[in-house]
Every structure is written in structure tokens, then in C-alpha cells.
């Protein structure tokens, strides 16, 4: 990347904010969903909301892979460690997501489970090589961004004959979730909000390109602007969405031209297609069962599928009744609408998944403490407010 400071210029941000205020019609409201948690983090950290007019509303979407992971999937990984004596490897944020019976992966580790935090799928392969007498399971989560490394690990393990490695695959797909938000009767029953447009994810779009979003613009008449994660990226994307709404247009526009192309990374796409295929259905936290929204390992690589190797069966588990993560992930509620936000539920003691990941909406609100309507709940350690400068 060539530019950093240029996309954090406070004066430019104020100028874009003034332009948004000038072009947003005062008699109407604008509701835009930032699907990706990285955008939620940038909006909160850099005080983007303070630069937007009151009639431009940002809605948090379900764009954090840790946040949308249902409890039942975490329970599967915990059972593998505690009941099947497997070495379970996964990314750091996943370790702290609350599961059934007051457990999480990190608490299961404290009970004696061999659960290890890793930084890449290659780390799981190295652990499998170092422990040939043990079953090693990579608990793989993430959107399209982290899927190619998992596919590469499976393909390389097959070529190497690394027979003690398997993957508990929980990779999910962004476009399917957006479609579900727009049309699903289940989501309509649970409640959602009117959405005038989307800020499309950055890293995901580097892999899949901008073309997969054309469907939303054409079929649902919803503009999509793919944006980077810097504050000026987000501000410019909001301005582009306001202009599309004002002009009655619904197109896919690419603000993140320095990294995203229409076709995406075709080599990564080919690798994913070689190893994975679509699941007919997959449960998302807050959205329920979403058709064709996740990946499973193809028959050719079935030997590396932990669900088949250990004959695992998935069971839906209800979320904590006091937690509003499901409504927050659908954009129905803000983190501050949750009664336990900032009191019972904190990053040090998360009750719901939205407070675990740094990209989770609740964690972002808690860390940067910008609430328009509700007084800030004092943190155990005072958060440092960061503004664009």
C-alpha cells in the first residue's frame, strides 16, 4: 500500500462531510449499511459519525466472521478437544466467543483441552507435522478473505499425505448474507430496517471482485459502493451513496480502486473452487439459516473434512436471552440499545460475540465510546478517544 496518512487527513474529512451535508436532502433520511466490521471499526475509531449530518444514518451489518458464528459451531470444536482428544487450532478472536454451558474455547482449554491459537492455516499444518500421533483440527472461520489460505492448506496436506490434519470448515459468503438481509421472510419476521445502500467490504472484494454485487443493484435497486477501511474511504463512499440515492441510480461503484478490480483474484477463486463447494444451508448468528451462504469441503478432499472424519452432527443453540447480538447484526438495534452493554457485557467479559472481536459492533462502540443518544458507560480502563487529525 502506498497511502496511509493521506486517507486520514482531518481537513479533507471535514470537506467531504460538508459536501455530504450539502448534498443530502434535508427532507429525507438516508440509511446505509456498512456490511463489514472493519468499516464499523473505522467509523467509530475516527469519529466519522460526528462528520455526517443527522439524516445520514449508518447501520451496522453482520460483517464480522466471529460475530456471525453460531454457538453450535463453537460447541463442535469444544467437543473435539474435550471429548475426542484432538488438538484444535483456531484464530485468536474465536477463542473467546461464548458457547454452551458457560464455556468458550479458551475456557475449554483451561479445563484441559488442547486448544491452540494460531495465526494462519500453515501453523495448523506445522502442528500436525510435529504431532503425528494426534488428530489436529483446524477450526477455520472467515469470509472470502481467509478462505483461500484454508483451501491451500487442504490441498497441500493432501499432496503431502498429512493424514492427521482435518478442517472444521465454517467459511461463509458475503453476497448470500446481503441477499438474505434484503429478501428473507425470516429476517423480515425478526425485524430489520430500511436500507438505501451498502458500503461493500474491502478485503473480501479484493478476492471476489466487484462483479458479484451487480445482482443487488440490478435486482433490488440498492446501490453498493466498495470502500477501503481508512476514514476518508468511508466518507467518500457515503458521499457516493448519497449521490446515487439522490439521482435515483442503483449501481456498483468502486471507491477502493487501488486494490479492487471487477474480476478479483482469479487464482484465489480457482483454488477455492477446487477444494470447496456450496453448502445448501448454514446458520448465521442473528440471521438464522441462510441458503447457499457457506462452503464445505469437496468429496475429493473428504479425508480432510473434520465433520466427516469425526461424524459430527450440528445442533442449533439459542443465544443468551439478555444479549441483543442477533438484532445488532441485522441492523435493527444499536449496541447501546442492549441492556447489558458496557455493564455485564464488556470486552473483558463478553456475553455475546459482537463484544469479542475488535471488528464487532459492540466492541467498537465500547472501545471508542462515541454514543449520540446515551451517556458513555465508564470502562474499567478509560478508552482513549481518537479523532482524525
Amino acid at each position: 500500500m502506498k497511502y496511509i496518512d493521506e486517507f486520514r487527513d482531518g481537513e479533507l474529512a471535514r470537506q467531504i462531510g460538508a459536501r455530504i451535508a450539502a448534498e443530502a436532502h434535508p427532507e429525507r433520511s438516508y440509511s446505509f449499511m456498512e456490511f463489514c466490521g472493519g468499516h464499523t471499526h473505522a467509523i467509530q475509531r475516527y469519529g466519522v459519525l460526528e462528520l455526517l449530518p443527522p439524516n445520514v444514518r449508518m447501520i451496522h451489518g453482520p460483517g464480522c466472521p466471529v460475530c456471525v458464528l453460531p454457538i453450535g459451531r463453537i460447541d463442535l470444536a469444544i467437543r473435539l478437544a474435550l471429548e475426542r482428544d484432538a488438538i484444535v487450532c483456531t484464530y485468536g478472536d474465536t477463542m473467546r466467543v461464548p458457547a454452551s454451558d458457560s464455556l468458550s474455547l479458551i475456557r475449554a482449554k483451561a479445563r484441559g483441552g488442547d486448544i491452540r491459537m494460531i495465526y494462519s492455516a500453515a501453523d495448523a499444518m506445522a502442528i500436525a507435522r510435529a504431532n503425528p500421533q494426534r488428530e489436529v483440527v483446524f477450526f477455520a472461520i472467515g469470509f472470502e478473505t481467509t478462505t483461500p489460505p484454508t483451501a491451500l492448506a487442504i490441498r497441500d496436506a493432501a499432496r503431502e499425505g498429512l493424514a492427521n490434519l482435518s478442517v472444521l470448515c465454517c467459511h461463509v459468503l458475503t453476497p448470500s448474507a446481503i441477499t438474505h438481509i434484503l429478501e428473507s421472510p425470516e429476517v423480515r419476521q425478526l425485524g430489520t430496517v430500511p436500507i438505501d445502500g451498502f458500503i461493500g467490504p474491502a478485503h473480501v472484494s479484493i478476492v471476489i471482485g466487484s462483479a458479484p454485487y451487480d445482482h443487488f443493484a440490478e435486482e433490488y435497486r440498492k446501490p453498493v459502493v466498495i470502500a477501503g477501511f481508512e476514514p476518508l474511504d468511508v466518507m467518500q463512499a457515503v458521499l457516493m451513496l448519497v449521490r446515487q440515492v439522490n439521482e435515483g441510480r442503483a449501481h456498483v461503484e468502486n471507491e477502493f480502486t487501488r486494490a479492487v478490480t471487477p474480476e478479483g483474484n482469479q487464482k484465489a477463486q480457482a483454488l477455492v473452487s477446487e477444494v470447496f463447494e456450496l453448502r445448501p444451508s448454514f446458520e448465521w448468528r442473528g440471521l438464522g439459516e441462510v441458503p447457499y451462504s457457506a462452503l464445505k469441503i469437496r468429496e475429493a478432499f473428504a479425508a480432510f473434512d473434520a465433520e466427516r472424519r469425526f461424524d459430527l452432527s450440528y445442533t442449533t443453540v439459542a443465544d443468551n436471552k439478555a444479549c441483543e447480538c442477533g438484532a445488532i447484526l441485522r441492523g435493527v438495534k444499536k449496541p447501546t440499545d442492549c441492556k447489558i452493554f458496557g455493564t455485564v457485557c464488556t470486552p473483558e467479559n463478553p456475553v455475546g460475540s459482537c463484544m469479542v472481536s475488535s471488528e464487532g459492533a459492540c466492541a467498537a462502540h465500547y472501545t471508542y465510546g462515541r454514543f449520540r443518544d446515551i451517556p458513555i458507560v465508564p470502562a474499567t480502563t478509560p478508552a482513549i478517544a481518537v479523532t482524525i487529525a
Side-chain angles (χ1 to χ4, degrees):
M1 296 300 296
K2 185 178 179 181
Y3 307 103
I4 293 292
D5 293 342
E6 293 87 342
F7 286 87
R8 298 179 182 178
D9 186 292
E11 181 55 37
L12 281 177
R14 283 184 282 273
Q15 290 178 22
I16 298 174
R19 175 55 59 187
I20 294 171
E23 297 192 21
H25 298 160
E27 69 277 4
R28 70 155 298 164
S29 61
Y30 301 78
S31 296
F32 302 128
M33 174 176 281
E34 82 271 4
F35 184 91
C36 186
H39 289 132
T40 302
H41 180 85
I43 288 168
Q44 293 297 323
R45 179 182 181 186
Y46 295 104
V48 169
L49 293 179
E50 297 172 9
L51 299 176
L52 299 178
N55 60 329
V56 176
R57 178 188 178 193
M58 302 305 300
I59 303 166
H60 310 309
C64 163
V66 172
C67 299
V68 301
L69 190 65
I71 291 174
R73 293 287 166 186
I74 305 164
D75 287 348
L76 291 179
I78 290 174
R79 292 212 312 265
L80 287 172
L82 294 182
E83 300 174 11
R84 310 296 285 272
D85 194 34
I87 300 174
V88 175
C89 307
T90 192
Y91 300 127
D93 281 351
T94 315
M95 299 279 288
R96 300 177 59 242
V97 180
S100 298
D101 303 320
S102 300
L103 280 175
S104 64
L105 284 165
I106 200 165
R107 289 178 177 174
K109 179 179 175 69
R111 290 193 181 184
D114 195 344
I115 300 170
R116 308 186 188 185
M117 185 185 77
I118 59 174
Y119 294 97
S120 70
D123 291 344
M125 294 184 67
I127 291 171
R129 294 189 194 101
N131 298 271
Q133 305 306 315
R134 299 281 303 280
E135 288 286 346
V136 177
V137 179
F138 174 38
F139 184 25
I141 74 160
F143 293 116
E144 291 89 344
T145 313
T146 56
T147 305
T150 303
L152 182 62
I154 293 172
R155 192 188 70 179
D156 288 352
R159 292 177 177 179
E160 184 180 328
L162 198 58
N164 65 323
L165 178 70
S166 60
V167 173
L168 181 56
C169 180
C170 294
H171 285 296
V172 290
L173 305 174
T174 305
S176 300
I178 296 177
T179 300
H180 198 67
I181 290 170
L182 290 172
E183 71 173 14
S184 166
E186 292 84 3
V187 171
R188 282 200 291 268
Q189 181 181 357
L190 291 169
T192 186
V193 293
I195 297 171
D196 297 306
F198 291 91
I199 295 182
H203 295 158
V204 164
S205 301
I206 293 173
V207 176
I208 68 174
S210 61
Y213 305 105
D214 290 340
H215 171 69
F216 309 113
E218 296 169 0
E219 183 73 17
Y220 302 103
R221 302 300 300 165
K222 301 293 184 183
V224 178
V225 176
I226 298 165
F229 287 134
E230 295 300 328
L232 293 193
D233 287 318
V234 177
M235 296 289 293
Q236 182 64 26
V238 172
L239 177 59
M240 294 165 73
L241 285 170
V242 167
R243 287 174 173 171
Q244 284 209 50
V245 171
N246 288 348
E247 296 167 10
R249 295 186 292 116
H251 300 300
V252 177
E253 294 182 328
N254 181 14
E255 184 277 337
F256 199 33
T257 54
R258 60 191 187 275
V260 173
T261 61
E263 65 278 359
N265 187 330
Q266 294 181 321
K267 185 174 292 187
Q269 294 169 25
L271 176 61
V272 170
S273 180
E274 177 186 352
V275 176
F276 295 110
E277 61 184 352
L278 286 173
R279 289 181 186 262
S281 184
F282 190 85
E283 183 184 6
W284 292 53
R285 187 188 297 256
L287 298 182
E289 291 288 333
V290 182
Y292 301 106
S293 65
L295 299 173
K296 65 178 181 178
I297 299 171
R298 286 187 181 276
E299 185 67 34
F301 297 93
F304 300 93
D305 187 344
E307 292 184 64
R308 303 189 204 195
R309 179 177 296 190
F310 296 97
D311 192 25
L312 300 177
S313 58
Y314 176 74
T315 302
T316 298
V317 180
D319 289 339
N320 189 308
K321 292 182 179 179
C323 176
E324 297 284 4
C325 269
I328 292 167
L329 291 169
R330 296 193 308 276
V332 178
K333 294 186 177 182
K334 298 178 294 184
T336 48
D337 293 330
C338 181
K339 294 180 180 179
I340 60 174
F341 171 80
T343 53
V344 175
C345 185
T346 66
E348 293 79 19
N349 181 44
V351 175
S353 59
C354 297
M355 190 62 90
V356 175
S357 170
S358 61
E359 292 189 354
C362 293
H365 274 251
Y366 184 94
T367 301
Y368 300 110
R370 289 185 174 87
F371 315 128
R372 283 183 168 179
D373 304 321
I374 298 177
I376 297 175
V377 177
T380 304
T381 302
I384 300 174
V386 180
T387 55
I388 300 173

